[in-house]
């Protein structure tokens, strides 16, 4: 179906630890996979994205991996900091000529100092 | 670049009234804009896709006569919630597609919190 499954729903880590959030999808037409960070009451902000022609992308402490065969992708945050605490949403883009996004259910990340 | 604004940021209205929410791309032209609804502690649910100069495409289960969308220019889309009821209370967020380098990315507005009394 259309849904994107996201796990875990909540994640608590100590400052400095790594955090990993995983998403799975079923629509093989998907070719764009962004990750958004949303703080309480604010807009989702794009933190990293990956397109289906690559398997991994890294930007400083954040990395995303994509396994298109298995239809799953993951967000990796290293050396977590308290300001990383937020809700993270994965999404997949449907190849319809414009990037209609279907969002995962979200992961609430709490980084304790 | 790629800034999207929304107005108002919050609105409280009486049941039965209509509310208009504006979404603007400030520094780029957005052929396509999207409207989402987000209930507390839930994910973003796409309501409709808005293309400049044409009728919006609504997602299954979203009433097009209740949620009127107008995309009159490349920088402005509006969502009107007609005959609002308490169950319409939610966080409404728009996004706009920004095309750069052959790929497009969605940037979100700050959202509008609607409370229907």
């Amino acid at each position: 179906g259309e849904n994107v499954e996201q796990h875990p729903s909540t994640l608590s880590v100590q400052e400095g630890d790594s955090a990993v959030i995983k998403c799975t999808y079923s629509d093989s037409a998907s070719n764009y996979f962004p990750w958004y960070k949303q703080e309480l009451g604010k807009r989702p902000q794009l933190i990293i994205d990956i397109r289906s022609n690559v398997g991994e992308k890294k930007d400083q402490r954040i990395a995303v991996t994509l396994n298109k065969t298995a239809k799953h992708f993951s967000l990796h945050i290293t050396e977590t900091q308290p300001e990383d605490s937020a809700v993270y949403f994965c999404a997949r883009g449907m190849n319809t000529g414009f990037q209609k996004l279907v969002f995962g259910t979200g992961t609430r990340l709490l980084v304790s100092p | 670049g790629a800034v999207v604004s929304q107005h108002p940021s919050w609105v409280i209205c009486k049941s039965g009234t209509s509310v208009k929410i504006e979404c603007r791309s400030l520094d780029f032209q957005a052929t396509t804009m999207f409207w989402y609804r987000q209930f507390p502690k839930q994910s973003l649910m796409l309501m409709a896709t808005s293309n400049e100069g044409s009728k919006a495409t609504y997602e299954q289960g979203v009433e097009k006569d209740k949620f009127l969308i107008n995309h009159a220019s490349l920088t402005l889309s509006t969502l009107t919630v007609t005959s609002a009821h308490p169950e319409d209370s939610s966080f409404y967020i728009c996004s706009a597609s920004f095309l750069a380098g052959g790929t497009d990315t969605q940037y979100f507005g700050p959202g509008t919190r609607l409370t229907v009394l």
Side-chain angles (χ1 to χ4, degrees), chain B residues 39-100:
Chain B
F39 292 107
K41 296 187 178 181
Q42 293 190 22
S43 188
L44 289 86
M45 297 300 295
L46 180 65
M47 299 175 67
T49 303
S50 169
N51 291 296
E52 185 264 338
S54 63
K55 291 184 179 180
T57 302
Y58 291 81
E59 294 299 300
Q60 192 173 9
V62 179
E63 299 175 57
K64 62 180 181 180
D65 294 330
K66 180 170 181 63
F67 298 100
L68 301 178
I69 292 172
N70 183 275
H71 195 154
S73 76
L74 287 172
T75 59
L76 173 64
S77 176
T78 61
L79 167 69
T80 301
V81 183
T82 62
S83 187
H85 290 284
E87 56 266 30
D88 298 323
S89 299
S90 187
F91 194 49
Y92 291 85
I93 311 177
C94 71
S95 71
S97 279
F98 176 62
L99 183 63

Side-chain angles (χ1 to χ4, degrees), chain A residues 2 32 36 38 41-44 46 49 51 89 98-101 103-105 108, chain B residues 4 34 36 38 41-44 46 49 59 91 93 103-106 108-110:
Chain A
E2 278 208 345
Y32 174 62
Y36 287 87
Q38 186 180 31
K42 297 190 176 180
R43 78 183 81 196
L46 180 70
D49 58 11
R51 299 183 190 268
F89 291 99
F98 51 81
Q99 294 293 1
K100 170 181 170 179
L101 294 178
F103 281 80
T105 48
R108 185 171 301 276
Chain B
V4 178
F34 304 86
Y36 295 84
Q38 186 178 34
K41 296 187 178 181
Q42 293 190 22
S43 188
L44 289 86
L46 180 65
T49 303
E59 294 299 300
F91 194 49
I93 311 177
T103 60
D104 64 278
T105 302
Q106 278 191 42
F108 284 84

Side-chain angles (χ1 to χ4, degrees), chain B residues 2 5-6 19-20 23 32 37 42 44 48 60-62 96 106 116-117:
Chain B
S5 72
Q6 237 176 286
V19 174
K20 180 186 282 189
C23 177
T32 304
R37 182 166 51 182
Q42 293 190 22
L44 289 86
Q60 192 173 9
V62 179
Q106 278 191 42
V116 185
L117 302 177

